[in-house]
Amino acid sequence: MANHTDKISVETSETSKINTVDFSNLDFGRVFTDHMFVCDYEDGKWQDPKIMPYQAMTFEPSARVFHYGQAVFEGMKAYKDDDGKVFLFRPKQNFERINKSSGRLAMPAFPENYFFEGLEALLKLDNDWIQSGVGNSLYLRPFVIATEPAISASPANSYRFMIICSPAKSYYNSAVRVLIADHYSRSANGGVGAAKAAGNYAAQFYPTSLAQKKGFQQVVWTDADTHTLLEEAGTMNVFFRVNDTLITAPTSDRILDGVTRKSIIQLAEDLGITCDVRAVTVAEIKEAAKDGSLKEIFGAGTAAVISPISAFEHQDELFEISGVDAEDSYAKLFKQTLLNIQHNLSDDKHGWRHEVK
C-alpha cells in the first residue's frame, strides 16, 4: 500500500517506559509509547520525516494553532494476533480522511508514502506495546497542527504532522446513557462536521458536561435547523434497530464518515440484515420506544468499537431500552464480528486488514 521512502530518520529512546505500565488497568489515552513520528511542513513542502523518543515540544505562543484552531486528527488502532502479527484496520480510510479534514481547514495534504512508512516504522519500533488478545489494541493518533508563529487571521505557512500511540482497552466498558440534543448543535450545513477537526470536539464539551450532570455519558446530536433529525454522538456514529431493521443517518457535511460505521453497514449486508441509511427523526425513535419496536441503539467508533445504549432522554422524557443485554443483539453480533476480523480470528473477505510487515 505504501510507496517506500528511505527518508525517515530514526532516533530511538535510551530506555523504555513499558515496564512501568499496568496493561490490565489502562485509563484511555493517558499512557503513551516510547516513540512518536514527526514531519514538518515548511517552505511549501513536507520536509524529511523522523521518528524520535516521545517528548514534550516547544512552540511559540503565537503559533497559529493556538489562535485559529487549524488542527485535525484521526483515530486508528493496531492489533496483534496470537502469532505476534500486527494488523491495521482499513488504514487507507484514515489516511484519506485526515487529508479531507486538512483540506477543509486549508491545510496541506500529507503524502501517502510518508504516512504509511512512518506509521509502520513506528509500530515496528514500539511493537512490544501492542498487546495480543481480543479487546487489546494500540490506539494511534495521527494529527496535524499549524505551527507558524503569526497571529494574522489566515492559513498558516508551516505545520507539523505527528503520530503518537497509546495502549488501549475498550473505551466504554458498559452500556451508556445518552441525552438527545434539543438546543445545542454539533455542526451545521456547510460547516466542518464532516472533518475530524479538533474544534468540533471542544465545542461539544460544555453541552456534554451538562448531560453528564444529569447522569448521561454522551449527547446524541440533532440537526442544527430543527433539532428533529438524529445525527451522531460525541465520539460515535449511531445506529437504531427498529424490529429487525437497522437504521443510521446518511453522511453529509454535518456527519463524520466513520470507518466503523461504514464497516457495520457492509457487515449488515454480509449477514443479511436490512440496513436503511436515511434521515432518522427523533419522533419516530420515541414512538418506536413507546410501542416496543425499538430493540437497540448503539454507537460505533474506533475508540468505542460498539457501545450499546441502555437509555435515552429527550425533553425530559426518559426511555429505557430493554434489549440492550439480549444475547441476539445486533450490537454484540457486530462487535464480535469486527473484533474477529481486526484480530485475525476470521476471514477478511473485504481486505480490511493491513498487515504490518
Side-chain angles (χ1 to χ4, degrees), residues 56 169 246 309:
K169 289 187 173 293
L246 203 59
I309 292 171

Side-chain angles (χ1 to χ4, degrees), residues 103-339:
R104 182 60 183 83
L105 270 66
M107 302 164 75
F110 195 66
E112 183 173 357
N113 56 339
Y114 282 9
F115 181 88
F116 281 99
E117 181 154 328
L119 184 56
E120 294 196 8
L122 185 60
L123 290 175
K124 290 173 187 173
L125 199 56
D126 284 341
N127 178 281
D128 290 345
W129 289 81
I130 313 170
Q131 301 289 293
S132 61
V134 174
N136 296 323
S137 62
L138 186 67
Y139 184 83
L140 314 174
R141 172 53 60 87
F143 63 101
V144 193
I145 57 173
T147 55
E148 183 187 11
I151 56 172
S152 56
S154 60
N157 291 316
S158 60
Y159 298 89
R160 179 163 291 180
F161 180 99
M162 300 188 63
I163 305 173
I164 56 176
C165 310
S166 178
K169 289 187 173 293
S170 59
Y171 193 57
Y172 299 109
N173 292 319
S174 58
V176 297
R177 300 167 69 86
V178 299
L179 183 68
I180 294 178
D182 62 359
H183 174 69
Y184 293 102
S185 299
R186 176 187 175 273
S187 60
N189 291 333
V192 296
K196 209 162 172 63
N200 289 349
Y201 296 80
Q204 295 178 44
F205 292 159
Y206 175 67
T208 301
S209 72
L210 297 180
Q212 289 169 346
K213 288 176 182 176
K214 296 184 68 175
F216 301 94
Q217 285 79 44
Q218 280 285 348
V219 174
V220 174
W221 300 102
T222 50
D223 67 295
D225 293 335
T226 67
H227 293 294
T228 61
L229 300 175
L230 291 157
E231 297 199 327
E232 67 174 85
T235 58
M236 306 179 287
N237 293 109
V238 182
F239 287 82
F240 306 88
R241 177 186 175 182
V242 177
N243 291 318
D244 289 333
T245 297
L246 203 59
I247 309 169
T248 194
T251 55
S252 65
D253 55 12
R254 301 190 309 271
I255 297 178
L256 190 71
D257 187 12
V259 178
T260 307
R261 171 191 177 276
K262 65 180 67 177
S263 302
I264 289 172
I265 293 170
Q266 180 61 62
L267 290 176
E269 181 179 326
D270 295 347
L271 295 165
I273 295 170
T274 300
C275 184
D276 290 344
V277 180
R278 61 166 176 81
V280 190
T281 68
V282 177
E284 70 174 296
I285 296 304
K286 290 174 71 173
E287 185 59 34
K290 289 173 182 177
D291 68 23
S293 60
L294 180 65
K295 306 301 183 185
E296 296 178 69
I297 306 176
F298 58 87
T302 297
V305 188
I306 304 287
S307 274
I309 292 171
S310 60
F312 71 91
E313 182 176 296
H314 178 254
Q315 294 180 340
D316 296 324
E317 282 190 285
L318 179 65
F319 299 88
E320 302 284 347
I321 302 171
S322 60
V324 67
D325 293 320
E327 283 304 313
D328 61 349
S329 76
Y330 286 177
K332 289 181 180 178
L333 174 61
F334 286 125
K335 183 171 186 176
Q336 195 59 55
T337 304
L338 270 175
L339 288 172

